[in-house]
Amino acid sequence: MMEDQLNNLLSEFNIENTKVVEKTVLKLAHNSKVFELTKSIKEIKNQIIEIFKMKRDSEEFIEAHFPIPNANAKKEYNFTFDLSLFPAIKIKEIKNLDLVGLQFDDEKSCIYGVPSVANTIDIHIVFFNKNDENLLTDTKVVPFIVNADPKDLWLDKPSPTDSRFYKDEILNYKSSFLDKKIVVSSKRGRSHAHNGTFRDDDFLVKALPDDWSIVTVADGAGSAKYARAGSKYACNHIIESFDKEEVLQELSQKVTQYFTSESSESIENDKGETESKDVSFEDEVISSDVEDLKIKNKSFIINLLYKNVKELHDSLSKYAESEEILLRDLHTTLIFTLVKKFSFGYVILSFGVGDCPINVINKDGSVHLLNFLDVGESSGATRFMTMPEIFNRPDMVNRFGLNCFEDFSKLFLMTDGIYDPKFVVESKLENVESWKNFLRDLDGENDDEIKVNFDDDTNIENQLSDWMDFWSKGNHDDRTLAIIY
């Protein structure tokens, strides 16, 4: 063995192998000094190899590809390095994580936290080899991305105050409503805020004579130039049309007779339902051959509602003419409920044109949709109060609802800015589970953990307004929600 090492050494120095050399090697093979020197050379070589291996481990770690997933701003992040292929490597610290609000746990080898801002940075992974007695550090540089919160990509430009038909971007309201309460919030959608345009939704609530109250909600068409004016005008005009004491007193009389009439159908069968047969739309004209008191009273009620709705349509035309704009520039949907508490229950008279639902949640949790929606596969399916053809269609009578409930838990009116992201399709508006999910959402079971507190309602209008900032991909329309509770 010693001889081999000596021969290898002689070969390194180009010393030719001769008989003299061979004899010399044999004699030196048993030389103690040469033995010690050779042993030292071997140890030095081993040390060099160890240093090489440590350096190689570091270089392999530096060159290795670590698929560190992107983080998302304002969302919890946690990533643990898998160092199973590098058992000798220990990560000491990671620099620059503070630039995005993250931290590093050297015990668990993980990056964690909630990134505060979106950014693309280089993180510096400072590490050492556990086998290095000096624990000298090296650095691996890796690009790291924090994606922006989608909400932060939307601009919030103010509506121009010098434009015609200026409207506030947010409108909140709370008050009593009969012997219950009402809260409403209407907010400009992200799409309008991004472009600095107006909120097209509107609403109005009012206590009327003879203990009636009314709430109306309108959604101006996004394609209509002055939709914001159309929705506001529709809400104001329809409420003014009912604000007449004598008319409402007579309405109360007819409603009482209708829901307490000893006709062929019992009151119980009428509650929560809307009939549509044998109803005339002629102003205050009842067919003389109709003898049934129940039908007569219903005809009076629906004709009264129809008359006010038709007058609104005609008035919108005159309003457009007076403002020297096109009627289609005022395109707006409209829903309203006219409500009064009688001894036999809450009577809810309703009307709707467009894609905004009216729903009642009963005390037992059952759900009633009080209007049908103008919805379809294309946006052209929506109808507006400005369209004369809605008054010529055979389904016009179905737009009016006459309902009576002994009591109810909540009454909702909403625009499609709420309906589309929360219910998606019309069929879910009568699905109990969908409404349970919606109520849980209002109760704080949402990504933002915002609760609308109906029990301690001191600040309920602002809670509802904050809740309506929920994120829903692709749904950035105006949002209006009215809740009677």
Side-chain angles (χ1 to χ4, degrees):
M1 184 64 127
M2 178 66 73
E3 293 176 16
D4 291 340
Q5 292 185 31
L6 287 171
N7 285 326
N8 289 336
L9 182 59
L10 295 174
S11 177
E12 287 182 22
F13 283 87
N14 297 319
I15 297 176
E16 188 178 353
N17 189 11
T18 63
K19 287 184 178 182
V20 174
V21 170
E22 290 179 358
K23 289 180 180 181
T24 305
V25 168
L26 287 172
K27 291 179 179 180
L28 290 176
H30 302 286
N31 186 282
S32 62
K33 185 174 182 180
V34 171
F35 177 81
E36 291 298 326
L37 290 172
T38 304
K39 184 179 178 181
S40 298
I41 291 173
K42 184 178 180 180
E43 290 176 353
I44 291 171
K45 286 183 176 180
N46 286 336
Q47 291 178 25
I48 293 172
I49 290 299
E50 288 302 316
I51 293 172
F52 167 78
K53 288 180 179 179
M54 286 192 296
K55 187 60 179 176
R56 183 189 61 187
D57 289 346
S58 295
E59 290 300 321
E60 287 180 343
F61 180 73
I62 290 173
E63 294 297 325
H65 173 63
F66 280 96
I68 303 177
N70 296 346
N72 295 305
K74 302 177 184 177
K75 288 192 175 182
E76 189 75 32
Y77 182 81
N78 192 295
F79 171 72
T80 300
F81 289 89
D82 180 6
L83 297 176
S84 59
L85 296 177
F86 305 95
I89 297 298
K90 171 70 175 176
I91 300 177
K92 180 181 179 181
E93 63 175 320
I94 299 181
K95 296 180 178 180
N96 290 347
L97 284 176
D98 59 313
L99 297 178
V100 291
L102 291 174
Q103 301 179 62
F104 177 70
D105 186 332
D106 63 322
E107 293 297 324
K108 297 180 181 179
S109 295
C110 72
I111 300 172
Y112 68 96
V114 178
S116 54
V117 293
N119 205 347
T120 299
I121 61 173
D122 284 336
I123 57 174
H124 293 235
I125 304 173
V126 181
F127 65 95
F128 60 84
N129 193 301
K130 299 174 185 176
N131 298 320
D132 181 5
E133 61 181 12
N134 296 316
L135 300 180
L136 297 176
T137 60
D138 209 336
T139 302
K140 175 183 178 69
V141 180
V142 178
F144 183 71
I145 298 173
V146 178
N147 297 319
D149 184 334
K151 296 179 184 178
D152 294 337
L153 299 177
W154 291 86
L155 302 178
D156 189 9
K157 299 178 182 177
S159 305
T161 56
D162 58 348
S163 293
R164 295 178 70 185
F165 312 117
Y166 177 81
K167 182 182 287 188
D168 290 333
E169 293 153 8
I170 300 175
L171 183 60
N172 297 327
Y173 175 87
K174 72 172 181 178
S175 181
S176 58
F177 192 92
L178 304 178
D179 60 342
K180 295 181 179 289
K181 298 178 181 179
I182 185 170
V183 60
V184 193
S185 182
S186 182
K187 304 194 78 167
R188 184 175 68 157
R190 289 187 178 90
S191 56
H192 285 174
H194 189 75
N195 296 313
T197 53
F198 289 93
R199 172 174 58 95
D200 287 328
D201 280 7
D202 220 310
F203 73 87
L204 197 57
V205 181
K206 189 170 184 179
L208 299 174
D210 201 40
D211 298 324
W212 286 92
S213 284
I214 188 170
V215 53
T216 181
V217 171
D219 179 3
S223 59
K225 187 175 181 181
Y226 298 117
R228 60 188 182 275
S231 61
K232 183 175 182 178
Y233 187 89
C235 289
N236 286 329
H237 189 280
I238 201 68
I239 284 184
E240 289 175 5
S241 68
F242 285 106
D243 195 4
K244 300 171 183 176
E245 186 168 6
E246 290 185 4
V247 172
L248 290 178
Q249 286 176 346
E250 187 173 8
L251 177 62
S252 294
Q253 180 184 3
K254 300 298 183 183
V255 165
T256 300
Q257 292 174 356
Y258 174 73
F259 282 107
T260 60
S261 172
E262 295 291 339
S263 66
S264 58
E265 296 184 41
S266 69
I267 299 174
E268 291 299 320
N269 289 335
D270 287 332
K271 287 184 179 181
E273 297 181 0
T274 302
E275 296 181 45
S276 60
K277 59 183 180 180
D278 300 329
V279 179
S280 167
F281 284 130
E282 298 299 324
D283 291 354
E284 300 184 9
V285 175
I286 306 299
S287 178
S288 59
D289 60 351
V290 178
E291 299 298 329
D292 188 276
L293 179 61
K294 192 175 183 68
I295 298 301
K296 287 182 178 180
N297 288 323
K298 181 169 186 177
S299 296
F300 174 89
I301 296 166
I302 291 184
N303 280 325
L304 173 63
L305 300 180
Y306 175 83
K307 178 182 177 182
N308 288 354
V309 168
K310 185 64 169 64
E311 285 179 354
L312 168 60
H313 169 77
D314 296 340
S315 185
L316 278 166
S317 297
K318 296 176 182 177
Y319 179 60
E321 186 177 338
S322 67
E323 293 291 338
E324 299 182 346
I325 58 179
L326 299 175
L327 181 59
R328 65 171 178 265
D329 290 336
L330 297 174
H331 272 347
T332 182
T333 67
L334 178 71
I335 55 175
F336 69 79
T337 56
L338 189 62
V339 189
K340 180 176 178 177
K341 184 180 182 181
F342 291 83
S343 60
F344 49 85
Y346 291 87
V347 170
I348 303 176
L349 309 180
S350 58
F351 170 80
V353 167
D355 52 0
C356 300
I358 307 170
N359 276 85
V360 162
I361 310 296
N362 272 331
K363 292 289 188 179
D364 62 3
S366 60
V367 178
H368 298 272
L369 178 63
L370 302 189
N371 64 319
F372 79 87
L373 275 61
D374 296 293
V375 295
E377 295 183 358
S378 64
S379 59
T382 301
R383 296 288 181 265
F384 302 108
M385 276 304 305
T386 42
M387 294 179 170
E389 59 265 31
I390 64 174
F391 296 93
N392 301 321
R393 292 174 59 90
D395 62 1
M396 180 63 184
V397 67
N398 297 325
R399 296 185 182 279
F400 300 93
L402 281 66
N403 293 274
C404 182
F405 301 92
E406 183 177 348
D407 197 1
F408 62 89
S409 175
K410 291 180 176 66
L411 171 61
F412 294 87
L413 295 88
M414 66 181 74
T415 60
D416 60 353
I418 302 291
Y419 153 62
D420 283 341
K422 295 300 182 181
F423 293 92
V424 185
V425 293
E426 184 181 4
S427 60
K428 290 188 177 182
L429 287 169
E430 294 186 275
N431 180 273
V432 173
E433 285 304 313
S434 296
W435 276 98
K436 285 181 178 178
N437 291 335
F438 184 68
L439 292 173
R440 283 193 289 265
D441 192 328
L442 286 170
D443 197 41
E445 293 184 25
N446 52 67
D447 291 340
D448 300 314
E449 298 182 351
I450 295 175
K451 178 177 181 176
V452 182
N453 195 329
F454 294 98
D455 296 320
D456 181 8
D457 56 5
T458 304
N459 195 38
I460 192 170
E461 73 277 21
N462 293 318
Q463 292 172 352
L464 181 59
S465 181
D466 291 341
W467 177 86
M468 292 207 306
D469 284 330
F470 63 82
W471 175 259
S472 176
K473 185 178 180 180
N475 293 295
H476 309 297
D477 198 3
D478 293 343
R479 294 170 177 172
T480 300
L481 179 58
I483 309 172
I484 299 170
Y485 62 101

